[in-house]
Amino acid sequence: MALAPAQASDFSAPWKNADRALVIDAYEYNPIDWAELATDKRIVGFINKASDGMPPAYFCFGDETATRLCKALWKRHAVAQELFQTRKVVAKALGLKWGAYHLARPGNPVGQANNFINFAKPGPDDLLALDIEDDDPTKWMSLEDAEEFVRHVHRRIGRFPVLYTNGKTAKHIADNKYKYRLLSRLPLWYARYKPDIGVHFPMGNWQGYALWQFSAKANCGRFRCPYRVAGTPNDIDVNVAPMDAAALRAQWPFGGLIDAQPDYLASIPLPLSRAAGLAGNVTLTYATVAPPPSFTEMVAMFSAGWSKFRGSLQMPAVGTALRLPRRIADYLGWLPKEKPSASAVEAVPTDPVSTASTEFDRSPR
């Protein structure tokens, strides 16, 4: 999947461009007036929160307080799922593209992926997103678990989710793209509430964003807001796409991986002969750079090298049935009986290029 590189204007308040499509994302406590929302023709899609971590415990145990809390969680879970499916029907009836996101929590990435899919019940044209709020594994899903989450979603439905995260986490993933081989190639749903993001965006890995969440409760209040959507409260999240409505509908739901970016070292041209350079009309070819070896590959390489080195230090076998004095005698008998004579040293041909020492270099000069 190739996302077109964003233009420079798409990193500086692109929502002011009337040609750019907008997307709403909400959770269960955001009230929506659908009739009012439909009046804004720039709104192309609606992404609703689906699951949050793991589902509540199936059975309720404990004292009266614990049981009441367990039942309350189940009630909230059931109401949220019912609201999710109702909003899905209404949004699609209004011609909006639909999406769902999972709020990632620490632990059990496979269980969370199953909870997400079972909750959202995604259709083939429904966008899926993994929401990682920050790079803090004590509060949110670790990036290693996020890799497994993404992998399991692909196992079950055959496509990948979009990655929602902030600039700090996105930069960390981009700087470690050989470690996070899946996360670094997911279409990026970028969260930053500033009008300009050009100097903060991780261009070394992503050439552009799929969506940019530019307006939220953090920067939208009663008197000032980057963009107000009719029929929604001030704390609603608004996102802009670096494309128009038709292009966004065509790329929705972003179910593939973005093209891997060539390593910067691969910009080194291969040597060219002087004659070919003087002749002109030369097509330059560039070196290909393999990714650095993984930790597992390096461990295997060092293990093989150590085994070879250790084997070179072992004494020749002298027979296990011999007593110790006999073994020593056999070993002494195995050593060279005499040193080479001076004439033999002179007869040995020398290599003027080689700088390696030999057994004959030990003789006096």
Side-chain angles (χ1 to χ4, degrees), residues 232-281:
T232 64
N234 293 334
D235 63 344
I236 200 73
D237 296 339
V238 188
N239 310 269
V240 64
M243 61 194 82
D244 59 22
L248 180 58
R249 289 191 178 96
Q251 294 203 29
W252 198 278
F254 301 102
L257 298 175
I258 63 172
D259 293 338
Q261 298 300 320
D263 197 293
Y264 285 122
L265 294 176
S267 61
I268 301 174
L270 292 175
L272 190 67
S273 68
R274 176 180 174 83
L278 292 175
N281 296 325

Side-chain angles (χ1 to χ4, degrees), residues 1-2 150 160 181-182 185-187 254-259:
M1 170 184 173
V150 171
F160 296 97
R181 295 175 182 267
L182 278 178
R185 293 190 59 193
L186 296 179
F254 301 102
L257 298 175
I258 63 172
D259 293 338

Side-chain angles (χ1 to χ4, degrees), residues 58-91:
Y58 191 76
F59 296 103
C60 294
F61 298 100
D63 56 21
E64 181 180 357
T65 302
T67 303
R68 289 176 59 186
L69 177 60
C70 176
K71 290 182 177 179
L73 291 175
W74 257 113
K75 183 177 180 180
R76 177 184 175 184
H77 179 79
V79 170
Q81 192 169 31
E82 186 67 25
L83 178 62
F84 177 91
Q85 296 300 335
T86 301
R87 285 182 172 179
K88 180 177 181 178
V89 172
V90 175

Side-chain angles (χ1 to χ4, degrees), residues 24-26 30-32 215-217 220 229 232-238:
I24 299 297
D25 72 275
N30 293 134
I32 306 294
S215 180
K217 185 178 180 180
C220 181
V229 179
T232 64
N234 293 334
D235 63 344
I236 200 73
D237 296 339
V238 188

